[in-house]
Amino acid sequence: MRFSTLFAPTTKEAPKDAILPSHIYLVRGGFVSQIGSGIYNFLPLGKMVLDKIKTVVKEEMDKSSAQETQLGFVTPSELWKESGRYHKFGKELLRFTDRKENEFVLGPTHEEAMVDLVRSRVKSYKQLPLHLYQINTKFRDEARPRYGLLRGREFLMKDGYSFHEDSQDLEREFIQMEKTYGQILDRLGLEYRVVEADSGAIGGSGSKELMVLADNGEDDIVVCDSCDYAANIEAAKRAGKPIDTQNLEMSAGDFHTPDVTTIDALSVFFKVDSTSTVKAVVKKAIYEESEELVIFFICGDSELQETKAQSLCQAIELVDVDAETLKQKGIVAGFIGPEIKDVTCFVDVELKDRENLICGANKVDYHTVGYSFKDKDFTFADLITVEEDDTCSCCGGILKITKGIEVGHIFQLGDTYSKALNATFLDRNGKAQPYVMGTYGIGVSRLVAVVIEQHHDEKGCLWTPETSPFALTIIVSNIKDEAQRTFAESLYAQLKAVGMNVLLDDRGERFGFKMKDFELLGFPKAVIVGKGLVEGEVQIVDRKTLEKQTVSKDEIFQKLMDK
Ligand code: ATP
Ligand code: MG
């Protein structure tokens, strides 16, 4: 490819709202351009990277025996109503009607469509297992599309769906997919962790995310410093802290605690550690057709993990509650305790066997001393947020928190969708059973940005070998110099002839300008054909280190081939 004919409009200006390196460099380098909120065009260089990633994903998926399909991006609403997700999915689902008043959605994910494709065609266990995938556009009307390709509204995803006769076979496929996703990320040159994820309201243990480590990641991931435990903060567990039950100086009962409405004030008031206090967090749980106030009780030194809380009460959303609403319900803010009447309560499991606690007394200016959760009839569950330096529940090691970007999510779904969509097969005993399903997604367009988030410097992109649009740029220092031009042209032809993906920078621009583009675009290597040619020399520049190496013009071809 010749740079003089390549449509790669590089610029010095970054988009006003761009704060992340991947967003800035991909736009400045002319890889992508924004056409609407969360919607991007791929220019030739961006499309080359996208296709390279697609190819790696496809090759690894095909190797694992999954079969590629392509489903309609526009999906009839009917199917979404059948599964019950039409209303549940919320505003991220873009719904519209056609000229005949038929309702449709723009597919944000394709469980329904894929189950529909399979249900009338796979009728016997003999046709299972089956794994179908596609690499296709998705649309999610995200509340806050941001960070360029990292969180778009329209984006490219590889989504796969597997169908099995039982959960053992699903588990086998799940392990296979974890391996496949790992191979994809290895080939792309990305450092990542496989972490335990929140399974949402569907429940089940088999949900893992593939997180690429990046300082600017949106996700907090918890990793153990001594074993290989890793989890998304939303799902992370810790070993309960050994707590010495403090001997309170006062006897059990309700105490007058005027204006003591925070955990800190309570600790000071009773001269106890916050681990001896109970914190109440009130939320409004929003369900499909109703809503209710719920209270979560956790140890005073801990924070509520909202995703865990939301999964526990199976709400679509948990929202904060204002003082006025609390008042109307007769809930006394600042003095809420577990003995409250007529409100659904959940208690963190670490409090289960605790005694001698201090909690709200459900009346203004009073707290209860000497409270115990022992033998109480609450729903106990893991509700806390793991913090840095907590203890690992697997090995006793120390937990650390790092930043990551979710690039893939693999999920043992079970029969939720097949049941809802009445999709069954005849098992070995001739009995109709819903398929046991897995679903696996990897963000193909997000990966374009993720490569740059993990691989860049202050000058621009640093594409990895499998993702770079070109392996090498030949920069002609002065295109008007006949000798330079002729030599560069012949080297270009030679390298192309052996199948190397080379860009010849033959533009009539200043050398400095072309070097700046080389740094911004981030292809791994350049050969500079410049003034040294009269002495029979050219230079190789490594993009990562920016080190230059002088090489004889007669040896350059062989040198590049050796590498
Ligand atoms: P996130 O937590 O980042 O919103 P998600 O959990 O909603 O993602 P999944 O439904 O698991 O995402 O989708 C599978 C993959 O699709 C994700 O791992 C991610 O790589 C990609 N993806 C999801 N949402 C977006 C988006 N808005 N823009 C680009 N890629 C996305
Ligand atoms: Mg996910």
Side-chain angles (χ1 to χ4, degrees), residues 58-127:
K58 177 173 166 52
E59 284 175 3
E60 295 302 322
M61 287 304 293
D62 291 351
K63 238 191 256 172
S64 82
S65 304
Q67 299 171 53
E68 190 171 8
T69 58
Q70 185 168 314
L71 305 189
F73 171 41
V74 174
T75 313
S77 298
E78 227 26 64
L79 285 172
W80 280 73
K81 288 182 180 161
E82 222 181 311
S83 75
R85 277 210 291 189
Y86 188 72
H87 298 291
K88 255 190 230 162
F89 212 86
K91 289 190 173 158
E92 277 187 24
L93 183 66
L94 190 68
R95 306 153 169 93
F96 62 96
T97 48
D98 68 7
R99 62 168 85 196
K100 293 178 182 150
E101 298 299 316
N102 295 312
E103 295 180 332
F104 292 92
V105 304
L106 283 188
T109 171
H110 280 80
E111 280 79 8
E112 285 82 356
M114 201 61 100
V115 171
D116 180 61
L117 178 76
V118 168
R119 64 177 164 184
S120 58
R121 297 175 179 90
V122 173
K123 293 179 173 160
S124 158
Y125 73 93
K126 289 180 196 149
Q127 295 164 280

Side-chain angles (χ1 to χ4, degrees), residues 257-271 277 367:
T257 53
D259 296 329
V260 177
T261 57
T262 63
I263 293 294
D264 284 348
L266 197 60
S267 302
V268 171
F269 188 90
F270 284 104
K271 299 192 182 62
T277 67
H367 278 88

Side-chain angles (χ1 to χ4, degrees), residues 431-469:
K431 205 170 151 235
Q433 301 279 6
Y435 313 118
V436 179
M437 288 179 62
T439 145
Y440 320 89
I442 191 161
V444 177
S445 54
R446 177 178 284 186
L447 274 167
V448 174
V450 166
V451 172
I452 298 309
E453 269 322 307
Q454 202 176 69
H455 300 277
H456 66 266
D457 61 13
E458 70 292 343
K459 293 177 192 289
C461 305
L462 295 171
W463 295 105
T464 60
E466 279 259 17
T467 57
S468 183

Side-chain angles (χ1 to χ4, degrees), residues 361-547:
N362 299 310
K363 52 189 179 191
V364 179
D365 289 345
Y366 279 88
H367 278 88
T368 302
V369 169
Y371 188 79
S372 166
F373 280 99
K374 264 194 176 158
D375 307 320
K376 292 267 164 58
D377 189 21
F378 286 105
T379 300
F380 292 95
D382 174 24
L383 285 171
I384 54 86
T385 308
V386 168
E387 282 159 47
E388 182 96 2
D389 297 331
D390 278 348
T391 306
C392 175
S393 60
C394 301
C395 76
I398 298 167
L399 297 175
K400 294 287 167 198
I401 298 180
T402 62
K403 293 278 180 197
I405 304 172
E406 181 192 321
V407 295
H409 195 169
I410 56 175
F411 208 102
Q412 296 188 42
L413 203 52
D415 58 12
T416 317
Y417 289 90
S418 39
K419 255 188 184 155
L421 290 154
N422 197 19
T424 60
F425 67 99
L426 291 180
D427 71 7
R428 284 160 202 269
N429 304 315
K431 205 170 151 235
Q433 301 279 6
Y435 313 118
V436 179
M437 288 179 62
T439 145
Y440 320 89
I442 191 161
V444 177
S445 54
R446 177 178 284 186
L447 274 167
V448 174
V450 166
V451 172
I452 298 309
E453 269 322 307
Q454 202 176 69
H455 300 277
H456 66 266
D457 61 13
E458 70 292 343
K459 293 177 192 289
C461 305
L462 295 171
W463 295 105
T464 60
E466 279 259 17
T467 57
S468 183
F470 296 98
L472 174 81
T473 310
I474 302 172
I475 303 174
V476 189
S477 177
N478 175 10
I479 200 72
K480 294 199 187 102
D481 181 312
E482 191 56 28
Q484 285 182 22
R485 203 177 55 78
T486 315
F487 180 79
E489 286 283 354
S490 78
L491 181 63
Y492 174 61
Q494 252 183 314
L495 291 169
K496 266 195 7 174
V498 293
M500 195 185 281
N501 203 2
V502 196
L503 180 68
L504 176 67
D505 195 344
D506 56 349
R507 295 174 297 170
E509 302 284 354
R510 283 176 302 107
F511 173 68
F513 181 88
K514 291 195 258 196
M515 267 314 274
K516 281 247 155 15
D517 273 357
F518 166 66
E519 288 164 355
L520 175 62
L521 296 175
F523 312 144
K525 264 193 298 273
V527 170
I528 301 172
V529 181
K531 286 197 189 98
L533 194 69
V534 285
E535 271 100 55
E537 285 168 349
V538 294
Q539 285 179 312
I540 298 183
V541 194
D542 181 84
R543 171 60 188 91
K544 205 163 175 182
T545 60
L546 291 176
E547 272 165 14

Side-chain angles (χ1 to χ4, degrees), residues 69-305:
T69 58
Q70 185 168 314
L71 305 189
F73 171 41
V74 174
T75 313
S77 298
E78 227 26 64
L79 285 172
W80 280 73
K81 288 182 180 161
E82 222 181 311
S83 75
R85 277 210 291 189
Y86 188 72
H87 298 291
K88 255 190 230 162
F89 212 86
K91 289 190 173 158
E92 277 187 24
L93 183 66
L94 190 68
R95 306 153 169 93
F96 62 96
T97 48
D98 68 7
R99 62 168 85 196
K100 293 178 182 150
E101 298 299 316
N102 295 312
E103 295 180 332
F104 292 92
V105 304
L106 283 188
T109 171
H110 280 80
E111 280 79 8
E112 285 82 356
M114 201 61 100
V115 171
D116 180 61
L117 178 76
V118 168
R119 64 177 164 184
S120 58
R121 297 175 179 90
V122 173
K123 293 179 173 160
S124 158
Y125 73 93
K126 289 180 196 149
Q127 295 164 280
L128 297 173
L130 178 67
H131 187 152
L132 301 176
Y133 77 96
Q134 61 173 342
I135 301 176
N136 210 348
T137 303
K138 296 278 175 279
F139 191 91
R140 294 183 184 178
D141 202 354
E142 298 265 356
R144 285 181 62 213
R146 58 191 184 279
Y147 310 141
L149 296 180
L150 287 178
R151 186 167 298 286
R153 294 199 299 160
E154 184 182 288
F155 57 97
L156 195 68
M157 199 205 289
K158 187 289 296 175
D159 48 327
Y161 308 85
S162 69
F163 300 84
H164 308 269
E165 55 177 314
D166 55 34
S167 49
Q168 281 99 302
D169 195 51
L170 166 62
E171 212 166 297
R172 176 202 51 74
E173 186 71 14
F174 184 77
I175 293 166
Q176 170 67 27
M177 273 303 117
E178 180 177 337
K179 210 171 116 206
T180 298
Y181 276 27
Q183 278 156 357
I184 291 170
L185 299 181
D186 284 339
R187 278 183 64 183
L188 297 179
L190 293 168
E191 200 193 335
Y192 65 93
R193 296 277 181 281
V194 183
V195 308
E196 282 176 26
D198 167 60
S199 301
I202 294 163
S205 56
S207 169
K208 289 187 179 177
E209 286 164 345
L210 285 98
M211 293 280 182
V212 167
L213 305 181
D215 296 339
N216 295 317
E218 275 191 289
D219 289 283
D220 285 318
I221 49 184
V222 175
V223 288
C224 177
D225 73 348
S226 15
C227 72
D228 48 13
Y229 177 75
N232 189 312
I233 193 91
E234 296 176 346
K237 292 187 172 54
R238 69 180 182 196
K241 292 178 193 168
I243 289 170
D244 298 330
T245 303
Q246 281 177 284
N247 285 321
L248 302 174
E249 281 165 18
M250 60 296 283
S251 50
D254 288 356
F255 271 73
H256 190 221
T257 53
D259 296 329
V260 177
T261 57
T262 63
I263 293 294
D264 284 348
L266 197 60
S267 302
V268 171
F269 188 90
F270 284 104
K271 299 192 182 62
V272 294
D273 195 81
S274 60
T275 50
S276 286
T277 67
V278 178
K279 188 188 277 184
V281 185
V282 190
K283 295 277 172 187
K284 191 197 293 175
I286 313 286
Y287 299 99
E288 210 172 319
E289 276 159 8
S290 63
E291 51 184 53
E292 70 163 335
L293 290 191
V294 285
I295 307 178
F296 301 95
F297 290 99
I298 54 178
C299 183
D301 76 331
S302 300
E303 296 298 330
L304 181 73
Q305 215 308 312

